[in-house]
């Protein structure tokens, strides 16, 4: 995660334009590139409930000149190393089918096509990631809320199909993530539910961060639930 640079919808668009120009300069126009934005970047492009993200995850399909272009733009604009990265391919939320279910966004400099994951497929990815100490679960509620406001509400059947399309089934989705989804689908006041989930994630994130300071990279994901549970119990006692 990048801790010293926030990406917004506006500056992300600028960085992508600069990347396209740099890639075209290095690679010409004979072999176009395609990038699929996922996670926080996909939310920035398609929804308004997030103002920024510190993590630009992508699936990149391009020649080796793209890596050079990413580094060159990063150096010139003083962006963090790996400002545009493919680290999510190592996570459970990655699926080789993302290309098939992504949505066209824009083409820059006639050489760089940008796609993003949206709606039920982005919800499916967030469910599979399902981290209680990040923004995965509040993002699910935010997406459902904005889809409803747009007059394109998502139902369980659509999300179920998306999970099966990307991952073949629900086996990797946590019970807690399913509970949050069901509460959001049944809830009347999604704005209030979103704020509540954000508060829970803040408490959880602070607890996990404290634990990591003591245990470092040795902190096991399996112990995270216990850490969060104890933090929430302490919070209740303080009240």
């Amino acid at each position: 995660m990048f801790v010293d640079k926030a990406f917004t919808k506006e500056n992300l668009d600028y960085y992508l334009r600069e990347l396209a120009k740099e890639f075209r300069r290095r690679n010409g126009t004979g072999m176009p590139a395609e990038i699929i934005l996922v996670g926080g970047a996909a939310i920035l492009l398609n929804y308004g409930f997030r103002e920024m993200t510190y993590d630009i995850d992508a699936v990149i399909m391009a020649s080796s000149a793209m890596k050079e272009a990413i580094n060159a733009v990063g150096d010139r604009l003083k962006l963090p190393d790996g400002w545009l990265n493919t680290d999510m391919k190592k996570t459970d939320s990655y699926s080789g089918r993302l290309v098939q279910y992504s949505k066209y966004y824009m083409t820059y400099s006639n050489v760089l096509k940008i796609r993003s994951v949206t709606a039920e497929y982005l919800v499916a990815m967030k469910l599979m990631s399902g981290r209680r100490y990040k923004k995965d679960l509040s993002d699910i509620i935010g997406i459902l809320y904005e889809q409803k406001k747009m007059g394109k509400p998502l139902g369980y059947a659509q999300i179920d199909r998306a999970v099966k399309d990307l991952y073949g089934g629900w086996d990797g989705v946590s019970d807690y993530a399913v509970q949050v989804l069901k509460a959001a689908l049944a809830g009347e006041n999604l704005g209030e539910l979103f704020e509540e989930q954000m508060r829970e994630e803040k408490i959880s994130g602070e607890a996990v961060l404290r634990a990591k300071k003591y245990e470092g990279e040795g902190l096991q994901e399996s112990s995270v639930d216990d850490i969060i549970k104890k933090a929430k119990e302490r919070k209740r006692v303080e009240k």
Side-chain angles (χ1 to χ4, degrees):
M1 175 176 285
F2 308 134
V3 295
D4 56 348
K5 182 71 178 183
F7 295 89
T8 65
K9 183 172 183 176
E10 290 72 25
N11 68 27
L12 177 58
D13 183 73
Y14 169 68
Y15 297 142
L16 291 174
R17 289 182 186 280
E18 291 301 302
L19 177 62
K21 287 189 285 188
E22 184 67 30
F23 179 72
R24 179 169 176 157
R25 187 179 73 78
R26 291 169 178 270
N27 196 71
T29 59
M31 191 181 298
E34 188 166 283
I35 291 177
I36 303 173
L37 297 180
V38 300
I43 288 172
L44 287 181
L45 292 185
N46 295 287
Y47 301 102
F49 64 88
R50 270 237 221 159
E51 293 182 356
M52 61 187 69
T53 186
Y54 295 94
D55 190 7
I56 305 300
D57 287 315
V59 178
I60 301 174
M61 294 162 285
S63 70
S64 58
M66 179 57 74
K67 184 175 181 180
E68 298 168 0
I70 290 170
N71 291 337
V73 169
D75 290 343
R76 177 162 56 84
L77 300 179
K78 296 180 170 56
L79 299 175
D81 290 340
W83 66 275
L84 180 65
N85 66 83
T86 60
D87 292 348
M88 61 82 57
K89 293 185 78 171
K90 303 170 188 174
T91 69
D92 291 338
S93 62
Y94 174 71
S95 167
R97 300 171 186 170
L98 284 172
V99 177
Q100 182 180 348
Y101 296 108
S102 60
K103 175 184 174 183
Y104 175 76
Y105 175 68
M106 190 180 292
T107 299
Y108 295 91
S109 297
N110 293 317
V111 73
L112 176 58
K113 182 186 291 184
I114 300 295
R115 301 180 66 84
S116 71
V117 179
T118 186
E120 63 265 39
Y121 290 97
L122 191 49
V123 170
M125 292 189 72
K126 291 292 182 177
L127 282 167
M128 186 58 72
S129 185
R131 296 163 298 182
R132 297 171 64 177
Y133 55 95
K134 296 286 188 180
K135 295 184 182 293
D136 293 328
L137 303 175
S138 61
D139 282 345
I140 290 171
I141 300 169
I143 294 166
L144 293 177
Y145 187 30
E146 292 217 5
Q147 287 285 147
K148 188 175 182 179
K149 288 195 293 183
M150 288 188 290
K152 299 177 181 179
L154 297 177
Y156 180 82
Q158 291 165 284
I159 296 167
D160 177 58
R161 185 184 68 240
V163 170
K164 290 173 180 174
D165 284 343
L166 290 180
Y167 308 111
W170 290 76
D171 288 347
V173 180
S174 72
D175 291 340
Y176 188 83
V178 172
Q179 288 173 16
V180 171
L181 173 65
K182 288 181 176 178
L185 290 173
E188 290 296 322
N189 194 334
L190 288 177
E192 196 173 284
L193 190 61
F194 175 79
E195 294 298 331
E196 181 183 335
Q197 187 63 43
M198 286 282 286
R199 286 192 291 272
E200 287 218 2
E201 288 168 349
K202 185 174 186 294
I203 294 169
S204 301
E206 289 171 351
V208 171
L209 186 61
R210 284 194 298 270
K212 283 185 175 179
K213 283 183 178 178
Y214 288 104
E215 300 186 39
E217 295 304 316
L219 180 66
Q220 297 297 312
E221 194 69 25
S222 58
S223 65
V224 166
D225 283 349
D226 285 338
I227 293 168
I228 292 171
K229 182 180 178 182
K230 289 175 182 175
K232 290 171 73 174
E233 286 172 353
R234 283 196 299 270
K235 205 72 175 178
R236 278 194 291 269
V237 170
E238 290 170 6
K239 288 182 179 179

